[in-house]
Amino acid sequence: MAVFGSELIKLAQDNHCDLMYDASVAGGIPILCTLSDSYVGDHILEIQGILNGTTNYILSQMDEKGLSYAAALKRAQELGFAEADPTNDVTGKDAAYKMILLCQFAFGVHILSLVIFLFKGSIICKASTYSKLRN
Protein backbone atom coordinates (compact mmCIF):
# COMPACT_ATOMS: atom_id res chain seq x y z
CA MET A 1 0.00 0.00 0.00
CA ALA A 2 2.77 2.42 0.82
CA VAL A 3 4.49 1.91 -2.51
CA PHE A 4 1.58 1.28 -4.90
CA GLY A 5 -1.38 2.62 -2.91
CA SER A 6 -2.33 5.38 -5.35
CA GLU A 7 -2.42 2.96 -8.25
CA LEU A 8 -4.39 0.37 -6.29
CA ILE A 9 -6.94 2.95 -5.15
CA LYS A 10 -7.43 4.15 -8.73
CA LEU A 11 -7.78 0.55 -9.93
CA ALA A 12 -10.43 -0.12 -7.28
CA GLN A 13 -12.31 3.07 -8.22
CA ASP A 14 -12.14 2.26 -11.93
CA ASN A 15 -13.59 -1.18 -11.21
CA HIS A 16 -16.23 0.10 -8.76
CA CYS A 17 -15.00 -2.02 -5.87
CA ASP A 18 -13.64 -1.46 -2.38
CA LEU A 19 -9.99 -1.68 -1.47
CA MET A 20 -9.69 -2.83 2.13
CA TYR A 21 -6.30 -2.02 3.61
CA ASP A 22 -6.90 -0.68 7.12
CA ALA A 23 -5.01 -3.62 8.66
CA SER A 24 -1.83 -2.68 6.77
CA VAL A 25 -1.00 -0.38 9.71
CA ALA A 26 -1.52 -1.43 13.34
CA GLY A 27 -3.23 -4.73 12.49
CA GLY A 28 -6.30 -4.94 14.72
CA ILE A 29 -6.52 -1.21 15.44
CA PRO A 30 -8.54 0.66 12.80
CA ILE A 31 -6.15 3.64 12.81
CA LEU A 32 -6.40 4.56 9.11
CA CYS A 33 -10.20 4.53 9.18
CA THR A 34 -10.14 6.50 12.44
CA LEU A 35 -7.80 9.13 10.99
CA SER A 36 -9.89 9.54 7.84
CA ASP A 37 -13.30 9.52 9.54
CA SER A 38 -13.01 10.67 13.15
CA TYR A 39 -10.15 13.17 12.98
CA VAL A 40 -10.80 14.68 9.56
CA GLY A 41 -11.45 18.15 11.03
CA ASP A 42 -8.65 18.04 13.60
CA HIS A 43 -5.14 19.39 13.19
CA ILE A 44 -2.77 16.50 13.93
CA LEU A 45 0.69 17.67 14.95
CA GLU A 46 2.62 14.41 15.16
CA ILE A 47 2.36 10.66 15.08
CA GLN A 48 4.03 8.57 17.78
CA GLY A 49 3.84 4.90 18.43
CA ILE A 50 5.35 1.50 18.02
CA LEU A 51 5.13 0.88 14.30
CA ASN A 52 6.77 -2.53 14.16
CA GLY A 53 6.15 -5.20 16.76
CA THR A 54 9.08 -7.37 15.68
CA THR A 55 11.58 -4.56 16.06
CA ASN A 56 9.99 -3.52 19.35
CA TYR A 57 10.31 -7.07 20.69
CA ILE A 58 13.95 -7.39 19.59
CA LEU A 59 14.98 -4.02 21.03
CA SER A 60 13.11 -4.74 24.28
CA GLN A 61 14.81 -8.12 24.68
CA MET A 62 18.21 -6.55 24.05
CA ASP A 63 17.55 -3.75 26.54
CA GLU A 64 15.66 -5.59 29.27
CA LYS A 65 17.27 -9.03 29.15
CA GLY A 66 20.66 -8.17 27.72
CA LEU A 67 20.24 -10.51 24.76
CA SER A 68 22.40 -10.05 21.69
CA TYR A 69 20.70 -8.93 18.51
CA ALA A 70 21.08 -12.43 17.00
CA ALA A 71 19.63 -14.12 20.11
CA ALA A 72 16.71 -11.70 20.32
CA LEU A 73 15.92 -12.15 16.63
CA LYS A 74 16.12 -15.95 16.92
CA ARG A 75 13.77 -15.89 19.91
CA ALA A 76 11.35 -13.61 18.04
CA GLN A 77 11.31 -16.09 15.15
CA GLU A 78 10.79 -19.04 17.49
CA LEU A 79 7.81 -17.28 19.07
CA GLY A 80 6.34 -16.33 15.69
CA PHE A 81 6.90 -12.60 16.20
CA ALA A 82 9.35 -12.39 13.29
CA GLU A 83 9.12 -13.74 9.76
CA ALA A 84 11.56 -16.35 8.52
CA ASP A 85 13.00 -13.47 6.47
CA PRO A 86 12.72 -10.46 8.82
CA THR A 87 14.53 -8.07 6.46
CA ASN A 88 11.71 -5.52 6.14
CA ASP A 89 11.23 -5.47 9.91
CA VAL A 90 14.85 -5.17 11.02
CA THR A 91 15.91 -2.69 8.33
CA GLY A 92 13.08 -0.30 9.18
CA LYS A 93 11.30 -0.73 5.83
CA ASP A 94 8.10 -1.98 7.45
CA ALA A 95 8.02 1.01 9.84
CA ALA A 96 8.73 3.36 6.93
CA TYR A 97 5.89 1.89 4.84
CA LYS A 98 3.51 2.30 7.77
CA MET A 99 4.67 5.87 8.34
CA ILE A 100 4.05 6.66 4.66
CA LEU A 101 0.43 5.51 5.03
CA LEU A 102 -0.04 7.31 8.36
CA CYS A 103 1.29 10.57 6.85
CA GLN A 104 -1.15 10.28 3.95
CA PHE A 105 -4.08 9.95 6.33
CA ALA A 106 -2.96 12.27 9.13
CA PHE A 107 -1.31 15.10 7.20
CA GLY A 108 -2.57 14.75 3.65
CA VAL A 109 0.91 14.30 2.22
CA HIS A 110 2.43 11.54 0.15
CA ILE A 111 5.93 10.80 1.33
CA LEU A 112 8.26 10.07 -1.55
CA SER A 113 11.22 9.02 0.57
CA LEU A 114 11.99 8.49 4.22
CA VAL A 115 15.21 8.57 6.15
CA ILE A 116 15.30 6.02 8.96
CA PHE A 117 17.29 6.75 12.12
CA LEU A 118 17.95 4.53 15.10
CA PHE A 119 18.11 6.77 18.15
CA LYS A 120 18.39 5.38 21.67
CA GLY A 121 16.51 2.21 20.72
CA SER A 122 13.79 4.01 18.78
CA ILE A 123 13.33 4.09 15.05
CA ILE A 124 12.79 7.67 13.91
CA CYS A 125 11.37 8.25 10.43
CA LYS A 126 12.05 11.65 8.88
CA ALA A 127 10.33 12.69 5.70
CA SER A 128 12.91 14.06 3.33
CA THR A 129 10.66 14.62 0.33
CA TYR A 130 6.90 14.80 0.09
CA SER A 131 4.11 16.05 -2.08
CA LYS A 132 0.98 17.68 -0.69
CA LEU A 133 -2.27 15.80 -1.34
CA ARG A 134 -4.72 18.29 0.11
CA ASN A 135 -4.78 21.90 1.32
Side-chain angles (χ1 to χ4, degrees), residues 40-80:
V40 72
D42 292 338
H43 182 70
I44 299 171
L45 300 176
E46 67 182 18
I47 298 171
Q48 290 187 13
I50 297 168
L51 296 178
N52 184 278
T54 301
T55 305
N56 183 59
Y57 177 82
I58 292 169
L59 293 173
S60 294
Q61 294 300 299
M62 292 171 68
D63 182 53
E64 295 168 9
K65 296 191 177 172
L67 294 181
S68 68
Y69 168 78
L73 173 58
K74 184 175 187 240
R75 183 76 177 129
Q77 288 173 316
E78 291 169 352
L79 293 171

